[in-house]
Amino acid sequence: MMSYHLVLELVLTRMQFLFSSDAAEELKAAISDKNHELILIRDFNLVDEIWGGSRPAPPKEPTRVHAIKYAGVDVASKLSFVRSQLDENGCDTVVISMLDEVAWLLNMRGSDVPHSPVFYSYLTVEMSTATLFVDSNKVSEEVLEHLKKAGVKLKSYEAILSDVERLAEKGAKLWLDSSSVNAAIVSVFRSGCDRYMRKRGKTGRQIGKEASSDDPTTKKRGVQNMELNGLYKASPVTLAKSVKNEAEIRGMKNSHLRDAAALAEFWCWIEEEVRNNVALTEVQVAENLLGFRRKQDGFIETSFDTISGYGANGAIIHYNPTPDSCSSVGSDNLFLLDSGAQYVDGTTDITRTVHFGEPSPRHKECFTRVLQGHIALDQAVFPERTPGFVLDVLARSSLWKIGLDYRHGTGHGVGAALNVHEGPQSISYRYGNLTALQKGMIVSNEPGYYEDDSFGIRIENLLLVKEVNLANSFGGISYLGFEKLTFVPIQRKLIDLPLLSPSEINWVNEYHEQVWEKVSPFLSGNPLNWLLVNTRPL
């Protein structure tokens, strides 16, 4: 029987930049199982042929300095930390390709990606130098001086491949996070390593020699693909960025209070509109919310597309209303609003579910079960080194008791004036993430319930991981808990009071007391009255 061997070409100049190295390796393995081969080419690009002259130009928006009063730590100190990690791991250079990591490390921000204050770039950090690969048209004199002060050089965005190749050819040992660095960079790195070894009269590769034997992240990523001069391991910036310093925490707290004021004004406005039978679509609601946020100091943009879902649309977890197909918001069903904002000093993400009329017993029971899960997670106390998945059951157990659940994670990491979703931490039923929650991390607390074709419920606050003082310290270790960052009322009429325990009732009352104390100074007139009514004790 004749056998056929199909060769599939992955065009380097576009597609290799869209696949991480790990994703490309998985694709190659899947294709090889079918007796096909995936090869990477550099000189021809089918995507460009399709675009022709109509390909949109790359973003040209300027970058900006993220002030030290918000960043908390200067660039030189952050680079020094990265270099200490290079030294500890026996590496010469690390390639940073995650845009939020570049922005955090250099105390810079941009606007190339909607909802995220980042800019297209790469960064290499060596023991004595650092190089930012970026379109120079985006770099003002102020930013240039900022980088020069930190000892960071500029090169064109496209020069990253040739620089990686050059480093590999001279035998430099590179640190590459294969879960994020793209296949193009790894491809030229491997080619450069091969040329380096040929020059030295060597053949083959030393498999796995350079991997850390006790690093679970390295093991997970497959040390069988290690080159002599490569270390494939999680970026040293990932964890450092997730643990917020005092200035970042202060900025997050301040931005959340201004955001809470905007939401109080919004909820006051929309309740009046619905009461007066004003026709409002889901899209119009989201647009008006944006208007209230824009009035707040330091507002930049939304942190994601607002999820504004009435009735059955609220049951679609990642619903995105459009003018042509959205519903009107009324008083006969639940309304779910998941939204957030980027401020100069922080990032917000909040979900509230409300009913503008009289909720049914089913609405109230499901809402209260979700609220109980939210409270249980908020009140959690746990030993250090606890990964987030261990806590996930707390948010679901009240729903499980009546046979309900939800199909998404309970919490994600949040950046400080950066991406609204960041790792490595999470709270989820997916137990593969072994990252421990640490003091200074920020996570969301967002259990929910979604009844198909009927309604959706989610209650979301952001939480800061903090150390708690306890009477005991078993094992001589620290114990951690959470501090609330979000201060917006939870609708009282949706709570089925007999379902709550006395301690849960106290939680709601204490939370609303905090909301009033913290947010009322930002309000006046009708919004202030609205806040007073909606923070009364149960």
Side-chain angles (χ1 to χ4, degrees):
M1 179 180 294
M2 183 181 297
S3 64
Y4 295 91
H5 182 72
L6 178 64
V7 176
L8 300 179
E9 296 179 345
L10 183 62
V11 183
L12 176 71
T13 50
R14 288 292 177 269
M15 298 304 292
Q16 278 197 79
F17 286 98
L18 303 181
F19 284 85
S20 70
S21 175
D22 282 354
E25 291 299 323
E26 290 176 10
L27 184 59
K28 288 168 73 173
I31 288 174
S32 66
D33 287 344
K34 304 296 183 182
N35 200 31
H36 303 330
E37 181 183 3
L38 184 72
I39 63 172
L40 312 177
I41 62 174
R42 295 187 65 168
D43 302 324
F44 181 71
N45 183 1
L46 290 173
V47 177
D48 280 350
E49 294 297 313
I50 294 170
W51 271 120
S54 62
R55 182 188 173 208
K60 295 290 185 183
E61 295 300 314
T63 57
R64 57 184 169 87
V65 175
H66 187 56
I68 191 68
K69 65 179 178 179
Y70 305 133
V73 178
D74 61 27
V75 179
S77 298
K78 291 180 178 180
L79 290 176
S80 178
F81 161 76
V82 172
R83 288 172 178 135
S84 72
Q85 295 298 297
L86 286 174
D87 183 59
E88 188 176 311
N89 286 271
C91 293
D92 303 300
T93 306
V94 61
V95 178
I96 308 294
S97 62
M98 292 291 284
L99 301 187
D100 61 333
E101 293 187 5
V102 175
W104 179 85
L105 194 55
L106 297 182
N107 290 347
M108 290 173 59
R109 298 294 188 266
S111 54
D112 286 351
V113 178
H115 312 299
S116 298
V118 296
F119 52 97
Y120 290 127
S121 57
Y122 298 96
L123 179 70
T124 58
V125 181
E126 302 176 59
M127 294 306 293
S128 58
T129 63
T131 305
L132 175 64
F133 299 84
V134 68
D135 181 351
S136 60
N137 292 320
K138 299 178 182 180
V139 181
S140 65
E141 287 297 323
E142 180 190 9
V143 174
L144 192 61
E145 183 62 28
H146 167 76
L147 293 171
K148 183 179 179 181
K149 182 180 178 181
V152 180
K153 301 183 296 184
L154 283 185
K155 286 191 177 181
S156 69
Y157 179 74
E158 294 77 13
I160 182 63
L161 292 185
S162 59
D163 247 44
V164 168
E165 206 164 24
R166 173 186 60 80
L167 289 166
E169 287 178 352
K170 73 176 188 180
K173 182 174 176 181
L174 265 63
W175 183 335
L176 301 166
D177 186 340
S178 58
S179 71
S180 59
V181 72
N182 60 52
I185 289 175
V186 174
S187 177
V188 298
F189 170 66
R190 288 175 174 167
S191 298
C193 284
D194 287 341
R195 284 190 289 274
Y196 168 73
M197 287 187 282
R198 283 198 298 270
K199 286 178 184 178
R200 297 184 54 139
K202 297 180 180 180
T203 59
R205 291 174 176 161
Q206 296 185 13
I207 307 301
K209 180 178 178 181
E210 303 301 324
S212 171
S213 60
D214 59 353
D215 182 359
T217 305
T218 305
K219 290 178 182 177
K220 180 181 175 183
R221 297 208 176 137
V223 297
Q224 69 271 17
N225 291 324
M226 284 289 180
E227 282 83 12
L228 172 66
N229 287 336
L231 173 63
Y232 289 71
K233 187 178 179 181
S235 163
V237 179
T238 302
L239 187 60
K241 176 172 58 65
S242 71
V243 179
K244 277 56 179 179
N245 59 50
E246 290 183 5
E248 290 173 323
I249 292 170
R250 183 168 58 250
M252 290 292 279
K253 289 181 176 181
N254 290 339
S255 61
H256 274 76
L257 293 182
R258 301 196 305 277
D259 200 57
L263 282 159
E265 292 177 345
F266 162 79
W267 286 117
C268 176
W269 165 81
I270 192 173
E271 284 186 7
E272 182 68 19
E273 296 293 282
V274 174
R275 193 180 302 117
N276 292 329
N277 296 314
V278 176
L280 289 171
T281 67
E282 294 163 332
V283 169
Q284 288 173 327
V285 169
E287 289 172 347
N288 277 276
L289 173 58
L290 176 59
F292 286 105
R293 280 193 164 117
R294 278 181 173 147
K295 296 189 296 182
Q296 296 300 319
D297 291 341
F299 175 82
I300 296 173
E301 63 175 329
T302 55
S303 56
F304 55 95
D305 286 324
T306 298
I307 299 172
S308 172
Y310 178 72
N313 290 337
I316 303 171
I317 293 173
H318 296 296
Y319 177 64
N320 184 23
T322 61
D324 296 334
S325 61
C326 67
S327 297
S328 293
V329 176
S331 58
D332 297 325
N333 208 335
L334 294 173
F335 173 59
L336 186 154
L337 186 70
D338 185 355
S339 68
Q342 294 287 0
Y343 294 91
V344 68
D345 53 346
T347 303
T348 71
D349 182 3
I350 174 175
T351 308
R352 288 294 182 266
T353 306
V354 302
H355 200 298
F356 295 118
E358 289 300 321
S360 70
R362 176 67 171 176
H363 290 154
K364 293 177 70 172
E365 179 186 27
C366 293
F367 181 90
T368 306
R369 295 284 179 177
V370 172
L371 176 60
Q372 288 176 306
H374 181 96
I375 293 171
L377 182 57
D378 178 89
Q379 293 183 317
V381 175
F382 49 94
E384 61 180 337
R385 299 193 291 273
T386 299
F389 79 83
V390 173
L391 306 180
D392 185 73
V393 63
L394 298 174
R396 298 178 191 271
S397 60
S398 292
L399 288 164
W400 287 352
K401 288 175 181 176
I402 58 170
L404 301 181
D405 202 351
Y406 52 96
R407 297 187 182 95
H408 60 71
T410 299
H412 57 83
V414 180
L418 265 176
N419 292 355
V420 73
H421 287 89
E422 74 166 18
Q425 74 274 21
S426 68
I427 300 173
S428 173
Y429 58 88
R430 301 177 184 90
Y431 51 82
N433 187 348
L434 300 178
T435 302
L437 297 179
Q438 295 185 31
K439 176 184 175 182
M441 286 181 169
I442 293 173
V443 292
S444 63
N445 174 7
E446 50 181 310
Y449 173 66
Y450 311 89
E451 199 145 288
D452 292 344
D453 303 316
S454 185
F455 62 85
I457 298 166
R458 187 159 62 249
I459 304 171
E460 178 185 16
N461 284 351
L462 297 192
L463 303 174
L464 171 68
V465 182
K466 66 173 184 177
E467 190 171 343
V468 295
N469 295 318
L470 302 175
N472 303 290
S473 180
F474 183 81
I477 62 174
S478 298
Y479 280 73
L480 305 173
F482 296 116
E483 177 182 345
K484 288 177 277 293
L485 296 176
T486 307
F487 293 97
V488 174
I490 295 167
Q491 193 174 55
R492 296 157 65 252
K493 71 177 174 182
L494 273 171
I495 299 174
D496 190 350
L497 203 56
L499 283 178
L500 294 186
S501 68
S503 66
E504 289 168 335
I505 292 173
N506 286 339
W507 184 95
V508 174
N509 289 337
E510 288 174 3
Y511 177 62
H512 282 159
E513 184 178 356
Q514 286 182 297
V515 172
W516 171 255
E517 290 177 352
K518 291 177 178 292
V519 182
S520 59
F522 294 84
L523 299 171
S524 61
N526 290 336
L528 181 62
N529 292 332
W530 178 90
L531 190 71
L532 179 62
V533 169
N534 283 275
T535 55
R536 289 181 304 191
L538 293 176

